[in-house]
Amino acid sequence: MNKQLLLKLHRWISLAFALPLLVIIVTGLILSFEPIAQVAAVKPGSVDPARVVALIKQYDPEGKARGISINPATQHLTLQGRPGTELDMTTGAVADKPVTGSVFQWARMTHEHLIGIEGLTTISTIGMIVIMIIGILMGLPRLRNTLSGWHKGAAWFTLPMILLSPLTGLLLDPSNSFFSTPPAATKRVTLPDAVSIVAKDHDLATVNMIGNRGGRMLARIIEGDELRAYAVTADGLSALPRNWVRLLHEGNWSLIGSAANVLISVVLLTLLVTGVLIWTQRRLRRPKRTRDASAKPAVASSAIS
């Protein structure tokens, strides 16, 4: 295919999706730090299971909450629902959500749903993949110490990493849950019971979430640097197979994965910004070239006369 045509497609598709991609990349950068924050928040032995069960029964006597999340560092317990309830486990009172938690919550909602337009995140992600594929089809670049040279060099040297991010994001959908579907439970487990069952085998300070997902009770537990998923039944816990698509996309498989996601987000943001700057520079230089081209025939005409 004509390289000039590929360049125009690469440029105009990038400009068309610049704003939604900017939002996706910036919120993705924020979320890249979430696994690090989750691991850092673990304070062994700091969460009392009996206290957690008592607070759930006190603030959710009808059992309407779909789950809980625990932050040992701030001693906060969140009853998940619409709306959720933030509790201070030390005082037992309703509390404001910590700033970091609010930022991550906002970033996740914005990252997944952008401005609420259905399908915009998916379409923009496809656009990002198309932009990268066109860049590959354009062939290996000539590396120069220019803005354009650094733009092309950064894209090619990090290509596997930056391509993996939108590909795994595109594969994520409601049917592809963080948790593989566990066997159907023979007996429904209530939220307080689930907390007690999990606490038998795990320190609640390592528990990220316990909740009902798809009619089944599940738990996310930090083991080392990894966020593992378990099915919770009356018989106990059973580890679920790793969903590597989501683990790679969110970086929850290791702190190395989280650091890699930070790098990927920085590179993608750099490519987007430098791409727009390159286009802007070309647009600003174009009028000068046009004036120079139109002046040449006039000069030649004067010389002949």
Side-chain angles (χ1 to χ4, degrees), residues 130-203:
V130 171
I131 292 166
M132 293 181 186
I133 292 174
I134 293 174
I136 295 171
L137 293 176
M138 288 166 61
L140 290 170
R142 293 180 181 178
L143 300 180
R144 299 172 179 171
N145 190 23
T146 62
L147 187 62
S148 178
W150 281 99
H151 176 87
K152 295 172 184 176
W156 274 97
F157 282 116
T158 61
L159 183 60
M161 295 174 66
I162 62 174
L163 188 55
L164 181 65
S165 181
L167 280 174
T168 53
L170 189 62
L171 291 173
L172 295 177
D173 58 59
S175 62
N176 185 22
S177 171
F178 181 89
F179 312 100
S180 303
T181 305
T186 55
K187 181 181 177 182
R188 183 177 180 276
V189 178
T190 65
L191 190 54
D193 288 342
V195 171
S196 299
I197 292 168
V198 172
K200 288 179 182 178
D201 301 317
H202 294 272
D203 184 347

Side-chain angles (χ1 to χ4, degrees), residues 13-251:
I13 294 174
S14 299
L15 290 171
F17 288 100
L19 285 177
L21 287 180
L22 178 63
V23 175
I24 290 173
I25 293 169
V26 170
T27 53
L29 176 59
I30 295 171
L31 291 172
S32 297
F33 291 96
E34 189 173 27
I36 299 173
Q38 290 171 344
V39 172
V42 174
K43 306 294 180 186
S46 62
V47 180
D48 180 10
R51 180 65 167 165
V52 173
V53 170
L55 287 173
I56 294 173
K57 290 181 178 180
Q58 178 183 347
Y59 285 93
D60 185 41
E62 298 179 0
K64 292 183 178 180
R66 59 184 178 85
I68 63 166
S69 59
I70 298 172
N71 188 328
T74 60
Q75 284 294 298
H76 275 213
L77 170 70
T78 305
L79 293 177
Q80 299 170 348
R82 292 184 180 273
T85 303
E86 191 80 12
L87 302 173
D88 186 323
M89 290 188 288
T90 304
T91 64
V94 176
D96 293 328
K97 197 172 188 67
V99 174
T100 52
S102 299
V103 170
F104 286 137
Q105 184 179 35
W106 168 83
R108 184 168 300 282
M109 290 297 296
T110 307
H111 188 77
E112 295 176 355
H113 306 289
L114 286 181
I115 56 177
I117 299 177
E118 190 68 28
L120 182 57
T121 299
T122 299
I123 294 170
S124 300
T125 304
I126 293 172
M128 185 187 296
I129 295 172
V130 171
I131 292 166
M132 293 181 186
I133 292 174
I134 293 174
I136 295 171
L137 293 176
M138 288 166 61
L140 290 170
R142 293 180 181 178
L143 300 180
R144 299 172 179 171
N145 190 23
T146 62
L147 187 62
S148 178
W150 281 99
H151 176 87
K152 295 172 184 176
W156 274 97
F157 282 116
T158 61
L159 183 60
M161 295 174 66
I162 62 174
L163 188 55
L164 181 65
S165 181
L167 280 174
T168 53
L170 189 62
L171 291 173
L172 295 177
D173 58 59
S175 62
N176 185 22
S177 171
F178 181 89
F179 312 100
S180 303
T181 305
T186 55
K187 181 181 177 182
R188 183 177 180 276
V189 178
T190 65
L191 190 54
D193 288 342
V195 171
S196 299
I197 292 168
V198 172
K200 288 179 182 178
D201 301 317
H202 294 272
D203 184 347
L204 286 189
T206 65
V207 174
N208 175 264
M209 184 281 297
I210 301 173
N212 191 304
R213 298 293 184 272
R216 297 174 174 86
M217 192 63 70
L218 305 168
R220 288 188 297 183
I221 301 172
I222 298 171
E223 297 182 347
D225 296 339
E226 182 184 356
L227 194 60
R228 287 302 312 271
Y230 287 83
V232 185
T233 68
D235 298 323
L237 300 180
S238 57
L240 298 174
R242 290 175 172 87
N243 184 337
W244 279 106
V245 172
R246 185 170 291 276
L247 287 173
L248 286 171
H249 187 74
E250 296 185 345

